C-alpha cells in the first residue's frame, strides 16, 4: 500500500491534462518507482505532483505556464516561431564544479580529481536540505531515456524536479515521458532535483528560483543515484546529461567494458562519396557543437551530425568501436554562433528553441556577441536591463536548447542503436601556444597519452576563472565518475587486444599569434584539417614524423584559397614541450599507484624523442 499522501497526490492532482488515470498501471506497476516518488513527496512536501507523459500538449502547457509566470518571454512568432527567452538568476549561469561531488564509499574510488564526501554524511546533509524544499511548488516526475528507446544499450532515469524549466529542457534533451516509462522495468536511475527555494504561504515566487547559499550536485556511483540542489541551470539540473550520461555512465562503462565520453560524433563524406565517422573530445566551450554542425568551406565535402556533446562507445563483434549519442537535443553555446561561422547551427535554432541568457532585441528576437558585427539598437541584455556598450549583451555561457531533429544535417544513422563505426578519434583543447593545428598519435597507447595530457584554457561553461590553462584529461575532468588513474587504464585496456582501434589525432583551433589573434580561421575551415585526418585513415594522406607524432607533410593540408602562416600553426618549440612534459609528469604523480606504468613509459618515450631531436637540432 502506498502512503496516503502519495495516493492523494496521484488521484487528486489538480493538473487538468494529467494522464495518470489512463496510465496509472504503467506508473504504479514499478514498485521501486512508486517508492522513489513516495519518498520524494514525503521529503520535499510539494503542493502538487505532476506525472509527465512527454506529450507535445504537456510541453506547450508548461511553456504557457512559464510565460504566465514571466519566466519565459515568447519570441516573435514570425522571426522565431515556437521559441522563448529565459533569464536565469545572475548567480546561476553555469556548472558549479566546486559543488559537484562523487560520493563513492571509498574516497580512493573517486580519485584526486573529484570532490568527495562520505556517502552517509552526504545523505544526512542532503536530507536536511531537501526536507520541505518543494513547499508551495509542483513536483514533476520525469521518466527519461538516454539512448534509443528500447535499445539494450540505453539507460532509463527518472528525474524528480520542482523546476518546470528543467522539465521543458528534458522534453528536448531526452526521450521522456510515457515512452521512457514503458522501458523502465525495475531498473532506473533515480535523480532528485530541487532549485532549493521553498515558498512560504502567500510568498510570491521569483522568475528564476535557486539557492545561492547551498548548491550540491551529488552522485552516488554504487547506489547509482543523483541528487542536485540549489541550481536550475544546464548540467547542474538536467540530470540526464553530464550527471547520468557521463558521471554515472562512466562508472557503468568501466565495469561493463565500454566508454562514456564527452565527445561529438560526425560523419564525413569525401567528394568521391566515401563516408567515415569520427568522434571528438573537446572540453566545455572548446568547439564540439560547432564541429558537429560544420558547414565545410571545401567543395565536395559533407559533414553530418550524430551528436554534439556525449558519446557512448562500445566494441563491436568485429573489434571496432561503435558510438551512439544518448541525447536527443543540443544544449549549445549561443555567443559566437552566426550565419558566417555556422549556418547549420543557425538553421537549427530558427524555431522551437529555448534561449537562456541571451539578449532580447526590440522586435522580440534574440542577439548575442558574434551574431552580427554590431549590436542592434534598443537591445535588452541578458539580465533584462538596457544594454550598454562594454557590458556583455548575452552571458558568455548563454545557451540554446533545441531538438536534434531540427538540425538540417542530422545523420540518418543517429538513432541507430548499434551505433556508428569510428574511423578516428580527435582530442582538442584551447591552447594559445605550443600545440600545433593537428598531429596524429603513433599508436593507441600514444593516443591515450595525448588524451591523458590534454590541457585547455578554462571557459565560462563552469563558474570560476576563465582563460587559465588546466589539465582536462580526455575533456572528462569534471565528468569522470571514478578515479582518473583507473579511467586511463580502462582506455588502455580498450585498445589492448586488437589492431582494430581507430587512429587518434590531436587538434588545436585556438593557437594565437603574438598579438593575440587566432592563427586559424576555424569553423567551416576546420574541414581542411578533417580532410587530412580522413585521408590519413585511408593510408594515403602524406605525413612526416616528428617527436610529438605525425604532422601533415608539406603541402598535404589543403589550404587552397587561404593566406595562412602555416609555419606558425605547426611550429614546435621543443623547450615548451619539455616544460609541458614536466608538468604532465607532476600531474600524473597525483594518481599514485593507479597511474598506468604504460602511460608513464609513453611519456618517457615522448621526452626522449624531444630530447634527441633538440640535440640534433642544436648540432
Ligand atoms: P559545450 O557545449 O560547453 O561543451 O561547448 P562546445 O565544446 O560544444 O563548444 P562550442 O562549439 O559551443 O564552441 C564554444 C565557443 O568556441 C563558441 O563561442 C564558438 O564560437 C567558439 N568556437 C567553436 N569552434 C571554433 C573554432 O573553430 N575557432 C574559433 N576561433 N572559435 C570556435
Ligand atoms: C558543458 O559545460 O560541457 C556543457 C554545458 O555542455 S552543461 O550541460 O551545463 O554541462
Ligand atoms: Mn556544446
Amino acid at each position: 500500500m502506498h502512503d496516503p499522501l502519495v495516493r492523494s497526490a496521484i488521484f487528486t492532482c489538480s493538473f487538468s491534462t494529467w494522464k495518470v488515470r489512463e496510465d496509472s498501471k504503467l506508473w504504479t506497476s514499478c514498485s521501486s518507482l512508486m517508492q522513489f516518488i513516495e519518498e520524494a513527496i514525503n521529503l520535499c512536501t510539494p503542493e502538487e505532483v505532476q506525472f509527465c507523459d512527454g506529450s507535445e500538449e504537456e510541453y506547450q502547457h508548461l511553456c504557457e505556464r512559464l510565460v504566465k509566470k514571466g519566466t519565459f518571454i515568447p519570441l516573435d512568432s514570425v522571426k522565431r516561431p515556437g521559441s522563448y527567452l529565459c533569464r536565469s538568476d545572475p548567480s546561476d549561469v553555469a556548472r558549479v564544479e566546486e559543488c559537484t561531488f562523487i560520493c563513492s564509499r571509498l574516497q580512493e574510488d573517486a580519485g584526486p580529481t573529484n570532490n568527495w564526501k562520505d556517502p552517509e554524511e552526504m545523505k544526512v546533509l542532503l536530507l536536511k536540505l531537501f526536507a520541505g524544499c518543494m513547499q508551495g511548488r509542483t513536483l514533476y516526475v520525469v521518466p527519461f531515456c538516454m539512448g534509443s528507446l528500447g535499445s539494450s544499450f540505453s539507460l532509463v532515469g527518472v528525474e524528480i524536479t520542482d523546476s518546470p524549466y528543467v522539465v521543458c529542457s528534458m522534453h528536448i534533451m531526452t526521450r521522456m515521458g510515457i515512452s521512457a516509462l514503458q522501458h523502465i522495468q525495475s531498473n532506473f536511475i533515480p535523480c532528485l532535483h530541487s532549485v532549493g527555494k521553498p515558498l512560504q504561504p502567500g510568498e510570491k515566487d521569483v522568475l528564476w528560483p535557486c539557492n545561492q547559499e547551498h548548491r550540491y550536485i551529488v552522485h552516488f556511483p554504487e547506489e547509482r543515484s543523483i541528487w542536485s540542489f540549489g541550481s536550475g541551470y544546464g548540467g547542474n539540473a538536467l540530470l540526464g546529461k553530464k550527471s547520468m550520461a557521463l558521471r554515472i555512465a562512466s562508472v557503468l562503462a568501466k565495469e561493463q567494458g565500454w566508454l562514456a565520453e564527452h565527445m561529438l560524433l560526425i560523419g564525413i563524406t569525401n567528394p568521391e562519396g566515401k563516408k567515415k565517422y569520427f568522434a571528438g573530445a573537446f572540453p566545455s566551450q572548446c568547439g564540439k557543437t560547432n564541429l558537429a554542425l560544420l558547414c565545410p568551406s571545401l567543395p565536395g565535402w559533407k559533414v553530418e551530425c550524430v551528436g554534439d556533446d556525449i558519446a557512448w562507445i562500445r566494441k563491436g563483434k568485429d573489434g571496432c568501436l561503435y558510438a551512439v549519442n544518448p541525447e536527443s537535443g543540443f544544449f549549445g553555446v549561443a555567443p559566437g554562433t552566426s550565419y558566417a561561422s555556422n549556418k547549420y547551427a543557425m538553421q537549427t535554432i530558427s524555431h522551437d528553441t529555448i534561449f537562456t541568457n541571451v539578449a532580447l532585441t526590440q522586435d522580440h528576437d534574440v542577439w548575442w556577441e558574434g551574431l552580427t558585427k554590431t549590436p542592434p539598437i534598443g537591445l535588452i541584455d541578458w539580465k533584462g536591463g538596457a544594454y550598454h556598450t562594454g557590458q556583455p549583451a548575452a552571458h558568455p555561457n548563454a545557451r540554446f536548447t533545441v531538438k536534434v531533429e531540427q538540425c538540417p544535417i542530422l545523420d540518418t544513422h543517429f538513432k541507430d542503436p548499434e551505433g556508428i563505426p569510428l574511423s578516428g578519434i580527435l582530442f582538442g583543447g584551447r591552447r594559445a601556444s605550443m600545440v600545433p593545428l593537428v598531429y596524429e598519435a603513433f599508436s593507441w597507447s600514444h593516443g591515450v597519452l595525448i588524451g591523458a595530457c590534454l590541457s585547455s584554457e578554462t571557459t565560462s561553461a563552469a563558474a570560476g576563472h576563465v582563460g587559465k590553462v588546466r589539465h582536462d584529461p580526455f575533456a572528462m575532468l569534471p565528468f569522470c565518475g571514478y578515479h582518473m588513474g583507473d579511467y586511463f587504464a580502462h582506455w588502455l585496456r580498450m585498445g589492448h587486444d586488437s589492431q582494430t582501434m581507430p587512429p587518434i589525432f590531436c587538434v588545436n583551433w585556438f593557437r594565437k599569434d603574438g598579438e593575440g589573434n587566432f592563427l586559424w580561421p576555424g569553423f567551416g575551415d576546420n574541414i581542411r584539417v578533417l580532410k587530412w585526418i580522413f585521408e590519413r585513415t585511408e593510408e594515403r594522406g602524406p605525413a612526416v614524423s616528428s617527436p610529438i607524432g605525425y604532422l601533415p607533410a608539406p603541402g598535404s593540408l589543403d589550404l587552397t584559397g587561404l593566406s595562412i602562416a602555416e609555419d606558425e600553426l605547426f611550429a614546435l618549440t621543443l623547450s615548451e614541450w619539455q616544460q609541458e612534459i614536466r608538468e604532465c609528469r607532476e600531474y600524473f604523480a597525483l594518481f599514485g599507484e593507479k597511474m598506468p606504468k604504460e602511460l608513464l613509459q609513453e611519456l618517457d618515450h615522448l621526452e626522449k624523442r624531444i630530447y634527441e631531436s633538440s640535440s640534433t637540432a642544436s648540432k
Side-chain angles (χ1 to χ4, degrees), residues 94-95 233-236 238 241-242 262 283-285 288 309 331 397 399 461-462 479:
R95 280 185 297 102
Y233 201 87
N236 297 334
L238 315 178
K241 196 173 173 58
K242 299 299 188 350
H262 190 204
S284 300
Q285 281 198 13
K288 289 183 299 302
D309 198 47
F331 183 59
N397 193 37
R399 300 248 168 190
F479 309 121

Side-chain angles (χ1 to χ4, degrees), residues 381-605:
D381 72 14
W382 69 279
K383 291 183 181 169
Y387 165 73
H388 296 291
T389 315
Q391 296 290 316
H395 185 276
N397 193 37
R399 300 248 168 190
F400 50 78
T401 313
V402 65
K403 276 269 174 215
V404 288
E405 277 86 0
Q406 292 184 201
C407 170
I409 54 160
L410 188 63
D411 191 79
T412 46
H413 292 288
F414 109 96
K415 266 193 202 164
D416 192 343
E418 296 306 313
I420 40 117
L422 293 181
S423 293
I425 295 176
L426 281 58
F427 293 118
R430 235 174 229 276
R431 293 298 297 266
S433 63
M434 206 193 80
V435 181
L437 179 64
V438 59
Y439 66 99
E440 182 186 347
F442 291 123
S443 63
W444 180 259
S445 52
H446 178 219
V448 173
L449 178 76
I450 292 173
C453 288
L454 197 66
S455 293
S456 188
E457 291 161 24
T458 50
T459 66
S460 61
H465 193 80
V466 171
K468 185 174 170 285
V469 176
R470 71 166 182 183
H471 288 278
D472 190 347
F474 293 78
M476 283 289 278
L477 178 73
F479 309 121
C480 181
Y482 60 98
H483 195 296
M484 194 58 87
D486 288 335
Y487 173 90
F488 295 163
H490 182 49
W491 261 84
L492 286 171
R493 239 182 346 260
M494 288 293 288
H496 268 176
D497 54 340
S498 76
Q499 295 303 303
T500 47
M501 288 300 100
I504 293 177
F505 299 85
C506 182
V507 300
N508 178 23
W509 315 143
F510 299 96
R511 199 157 172 170
K512 288 181 176 168
D513 65 13
E515 270 105 59
N517 306 306
F518 290 119
L519 287 166
W520 180 245
F523 301 102
D525 283 314
N526 291 336
I527 190 66
R528 298 167 188 271
V529 174
L530 296 179
K531 175 182 173 187
W532 182 76
I533 289 173
F534 187 109
E535 289 172 353
R536 281 297 293 164
T537 66
E538 295 275 270
E539 309 263 355
R540 62 180 164 95
V544 289
S545 197
S546 86
I548 63 164
Y550 297 113
L551 294 169
S556 68
L557 188 69
D558 187 342
L559 298 174
T560 323
L562 285 185
S563 61
I564 282 280
E566 194 178 353
D567 289 355
E568 267 186 273
L569 278 164
F570 286 97
L572 285 181
T573 308
L574 297 173
S575 58
E576 283 179 347
W577 275 86
Q578 283 165 335
Q579 176 57 28
E580 179 90 351
I581 290 165
R582 278 194 291 274
E583 253 286 306
C584 285
R585 194 166 277 126
E586 249 172 62
Y587 184 64
F588 289 163
L590 263 183
F591 307 122
E593 280 303 294
K594 291 204 183 249
M595 185 65 208
K597 302 279 173 301
E598 195 179 338
L599 281 192
L600 293 174
Q601 277 164 9
E602 277 292 344
L603 192 63
D604 290 342
H605 294 328

